[in-house]
């Protein structure tokens, strides 16, 4: 199961990661972080994240870590 981890305390809420997620799994939180910004949050109840890393590549503050699930080898 691929997923991302967002360092919400460092996120400035620019929303760029929300625009590039092809699965629409990154949203803006309803709460504020320690700096007073609404951070991004990862919402994936159905495990649809592919680990494409577009969100991490777009993030100007490098606050997103991507964890990919290895694909099974074809026989």
């Amino acid at each position: 199961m691929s997923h991302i981890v967002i360092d919400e305390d460092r996120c400035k809420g620019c929303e760029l990661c929300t625009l590039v997620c092809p699965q629409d799994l990154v949203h803006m939180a309803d709460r504020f972080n320690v700096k007073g910004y609404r951070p991004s949050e990862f919402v994936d109840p159905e495990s649809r994240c592919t680990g494409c890393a577009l969100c991490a590549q777009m993030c100007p503050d490098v606050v997103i870590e991507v964890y990919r699930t290895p694909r099974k080898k074809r026989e």
Side-chain angles (χ1 to χ4, degrees):
M1 173 173 83
S2 298
H3 68 281
I4 65 170
V5 174
I6 301 170
D7 184 347
E8 293 185 2
D9 287 338
R10 291 181 41 224
C11 178
K12 294 182 183 172
C14 70
E15 299 186 37
L16 293 175
C17 56
T18 65
L19 300 174
V20 297
C21 180
Q23 301 293 329
D24 194 31
L25 302 175
V26 184
H27 302 274
M28 300 309 293
D30 292 332
R31 63 192 174 283
F32 295 94
N33 64 13
V34 295
K35 294 183 180 180
Y37 298 109
R38 284 183 53 214
S40 296
E41 66 180 353
F42 180 61
V43 181
D44 188 13
E46 299 172 5
S47 301
R48 296 185 309 147
C49 181
T50 62
C52 70
L54 290 174
C55 56
Q57 292 174 18
M58 185 60 74
C59 181
D61 296 311
V62 194
V63 301
I64 301 174
E65 294 179 26
V66 179
Y67 296 92
R68 291 185 182 146
T69 302
R71 290 185 179 181
K72 295 179 181 178
K73 294 181 180 179
R74 293 184 183 182
E75 294 182 23

